[in-house]
């Protein structure tokens, strides 16, 4: 599944997968200087339990690393992923 970087508004962004205007999955954040404040992760109910939410977190993490950003997880899912794995320790704000 591919995710497209979308600008939602002032300093608000998302990685999103959609078909014909219907959002299948997305992770959204507000950019605060060099910190991505990740607020929301969504996966369409019909696509859940396939690891897509984790792929969204990985996509955001890759983007953060490429741009020398940190991530502050406000989203409960992202916070749980960050707590469970040392894989993201370099990104913690």
């Amino acid at each position: 599944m591919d995710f497209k970087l979308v600008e939602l508004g002032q300093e608000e962004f998302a990685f999103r997968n959609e078909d014909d205007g219907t959002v299948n999955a997305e992770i959204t954040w507000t950019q605060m200087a060099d910190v991505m404040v990740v607020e929301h992760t969504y996966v369409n109910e019909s696509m859940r339990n396939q690891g897509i939410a984790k792929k969204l977190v990985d996509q955001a993490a890759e983007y953060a690393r490429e741009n020398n950003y940190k991530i502050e997880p406000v989203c409960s899912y992202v916070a749980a992923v960050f707590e469970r794995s040392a894989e993201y320790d370099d990104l913690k704000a």
Side-chain angles (χ1 to χ4, degrees), residues 5 15 29 31 34-38 56-72 82 88 90-92:
L5 178 62
F15 279 111
W29 71 92
Q31 193 70 45
D34 65 345
V35 177
M36 296 168 61
V37 181
V38 179
L56 284 164
V57 173
D58 289 342
Q59 181 77 42
E62 179 181 328
Y63 180 80
R65 287 184 179 111
E66 288 172 357
N67 292 283
N68 295 315
Y69 295 152
K70 297 292 185 183
I71 294 179
E72 180 179 332
F82 270 42
Y88 307 99
D90 63 314
L91 298 173
K92 292 179 179 176

Side-chain angles (χ1 to χ4, degrees), residues 77-93:
Y77 175 77
V78 179
V81 169
F82 270 42
E83 284 182 30
R84 285 193 303 254
S85 175
E87 176 182 356
Y88 307 99
D89 284 355
D90 63 314
L91 298 173
K92 292 179 179 176

Side-chain angles (χ1 to χ4, degrees), residues 10-80:
Q10 283 191 321
E11 305 302 322
E12 294 182 33
F13 301 89
F15 279 111
R16 181 181 285 171
N17 175 280
E18 60 185 320
D19 291 317
D20 299 322
T22 300
V23 176
N24 297 318
E26 73 176 356
I27 188 166
T28 64
W29 71 92
T30 300
Q31 193 70 45
M32 310 268 307
D34 65 345
V35 177
M36 296 168 61
V37 181
V38 179
E39 297 139 349
H40 180 69
T41 305
Y42 167 79
V43 177
N44 183 298
E45 194 172 321
S46 67
M47 304 174 85
R48 293 184 183 163
N49 299 313
Q50 298 177 37
I52 295 170
K54 174 72 165 63
K55 289 178 184 175
L56 284 164
V57 173
D58 289 342
Q59 181 77 42
E62 179 181 328
Y63 180 80
R65 287 184 179 111
E66 288 172 357
N67 292 283
N68 295 315
Y69 295 152
K70 297 292 185 183
I71 294 179
E72 180 179 332
V74 175
C75 168
S76 59
Y77 175 77
V78 179

